[in-house]
Amino acid sequence: MNRNTFNIIIGLTLILGLFLSCGNKPKNTKAEQDYQKAARYFVADESFSPILNEALDVFLYKSILDTLEAKYTNEQDAVKELMALKTWLAFTTRDFTAKERQNLIDRKYLPRTIPIAYDGLAIIVNNTNPDTCITVKDFKRILKGEVTQWKDLYPTSKLGNIDVVFDNPLSSTVRWCVDSLLGGKEFSAPNIGAVNTSAAVIDYVERHNNSLGIIGSNWLNDSRDTTNVTFKKNITVMKVSKLDSATAYNSWRPYQYYIYNGNYPLVRTIYALLNEPRSGLPSNFAHFCRLPKGQLIIQKSGLLPIQAATNVRPVYVNKE
């Protein structure tokens, strides 16, 4: 092959490659615009914002061109946005329902579910409340409205009405309690209400000595404690027992180890619900949360990662 023939072949190859690459560029159609608009952000229940904000910061670290934003709302609205194709990714504490999954499949989509963590649902009370142990049975009685006075659970209590507060009426916390504890029956007791955010629950409980708050445990870790074995000092996290009578010896707080070994009874799974039709930023972030680096972030947040290795070692305290 002479030099001129070689140069002609190389030139034709470059032209063909340029032509093909230009032909593969996404066209600026309405469908492409809709995809790009939905791929700009993910939605999530507000109770997961501490861990997802940290994971997103690491995911986008050193990235100049990639942009993915978080939109925090309640779980019901998060799923609605996903089903309406306004976003491709939602973080929830439930899987797709059979109806939702089939609906997306009928529209030629491929819904996927990626479990990423286990979260302990925490019951919190004011620091002045001397009663810090409760059974699952009594917690259910409170939610059913069968018990409305602290003295009905603790005869010596002088705190009066049990003022129950959730993070949001449509949150994953409310739905989990209704589905998992009440068999699908909605709350009806007048002493059960909700604010707007998880932070507002903590603030409310701190200011009302007769209150009882329900919140995701990732909001409670003291950021000064890198071992995740202490909770915020401005409220008290109750110990919860599976037995009929709660004592300090058979009740547990939502520490990672007690979620891991099954002692803590109020545990929910956090899922990434994914419906992206291509492998873009939403898909990459959902899978990042399941990869070792993402699982390490979850572990440091105080939640139990789905698949990160957990080492348990005995610790002996010398009291001499």
Side-chain angles (χ1 to χ4, degrees):
M1 180 184 297
N2 59 42
R3 181 180 296 274
N4 288 336
T5 302
F6 177 78
N7 289 338
I8 290 172
I9 292 174
I10 293 298
L12 290 173
T13 302
L14 292 174
I15 292 172
L16 180 61
L18 181 62
F19 175 77
L20 291 175
S21 65
C22 290
N24 286 334
K25 276 189 174 181
K27 296 180 180 179
N28 191 27
T29 61
K30 184 178 185 306
E32 179 62 26
Q33 292 173 1
D34 290 343
Y35 166 79
Q36 294 295 344
K37 185 177 180 180
R40 286 191 321 219
Y41 71 96
F42 64 84
V43 290
D45 189 275
E46 177 271 338
S47 62
F48 310 140
S49 59
I51 55 172
L52 291 179
N53 282 339
E54 187 173 351
L56 186 60
D57 286 343
V58 175
F59 176 72
L60 295 176
Y61 180 63
K62 291 185 178 179
S63 174
I64 299 175
L65 300 178
D66 293 340
T67 301
L68 183 65
E69 298 178 358
K71 178 181 177 180
Y72 295 111
T73 180
N74 59 74
E75 185 174 77
Q76 288 192 31
D77 287 344
V79 175
K80 284 181 181 178
E81 291 207 26
L82 184 67
M83 296 302 296
L85 308 183
K86 294 181 179 179
T87 183
W88 302 118
L89 174 62
F91 289 90
T92 67
T93 58
R94 70 168 179 86
D95 198 348
F96 289 103
T97 65
K99 185 177 179 180
E100 289 166 347
R101 189 179 295 277
Q102 190 60 50
N103 177 279
L104 292 171
I105 292 173
D106 290 344
R107 288 189 279 166
K108 310 302 180 185
Y109 290 96
L110 182 62
R112 289 93 75 199
T113 303
I114 304 173
I116 63 168
Y118 299 109
D119 179 27
L121 207 63
I123 302 173
I124 61 175
V125 293
N126 187 274
N127 278 342
T128 62
N129 192 330
D131 300 303
T132 59
C133 295
I134 191 169
T135 66
V136 174
K137 179 181 178 181
D138 283 339
F139 182 47
K140 289 181 181 179
R141 292 172 64 204
I142 292 173
L143 297 182
K144 291 177 180 178
E146 296 173 354
V147 173
T148 59
Q149 299 281 320
W150 282 105
K151 66 180 181 181
D152 293 335
L153 296 180
Y154 312 100
T156 60
S157 178
K158 296 180 175 60
L159 293 178
N161 291 332
I162 303 175
D163 189 3
V164 182
V165 58
F166 281 90
D167 51 349
N168 187 290
L170 303 178
S171 72
S172 62
T173 305
V174 170
R175 185 203 55 78
W176 189 91
C177 287
V178 168
D179 290 351
S180 300
L181 299 179
L182 303 186
K185 187 176 180 181
E186 299 288 341
F187 305 131
S188 59
N191 62 317
I192 298 178
V195 285
N196 290 316
T197 65
S198 301
V201 175
I202 297 173
D203 181 63
Y204 188 93
V205 171
E206 184 180 7
R207 291 184 291 106
H208 297 82
N209 63 355
N210 66 325
S211 59
L212 181 149
I214 301 97
I215 198 171
S217 62
N218 73 98
W219 274 91
L220 299 176
N221 287 304
D222 190 332
S223 60
R224 296 166 296 179
D225 176 25
T226 58
T227 64
N228 287 322
V229 295
T230 60
F231 292 122
K232 288 184 180 297
K233 304 299 191 299
N234 54 339
I235 48 86
T236 297
V237 181
M238 297 193 84
K239 292 183 175 182
V240 184
S241 176
K242 300 176 183 178
L243 303 181
D244 289 338
S245 179
T247 70
Y249 302 101
N250 66 17
S251 306
W252 315 92
R253 291 190 174 102
Y255 294 126
Q256 284 173 325
Y257 178 65
Y258 299 139
I259 296 174
Y260 170 75
N261 70 5
N263 280 346
Y264 192 73
L266 307 178
V267 178
R268 56 187 184 170
T269 305
I270 300 175
Y271 300 97
L273 302 186
L274 188 63
N275 190 45
E276 189 177 15
R278 65 179 74 161
S279 183
L281 279 179
S283 295
N284 292 338
F285 180 61
H287 289 288
F288 169 81
C289 291
R290 183 68 183 249
L291 293 174
K293 186 173 287 188
Q295 292 284 282
L296 182 61
I297 293 169
I298 289 170
Q299 185 176 29
K300 288 183 176 180
S301 76
L303 302 188
L304 182 66
I306 284 287
Q307 60 184 18
T310 302
N311 295 320
V312 179
R313 298 184 179 90
V315 176
Y316 301 96
V317 179
N318 188 347
K319 297 183 179 180
E320 294 182 1

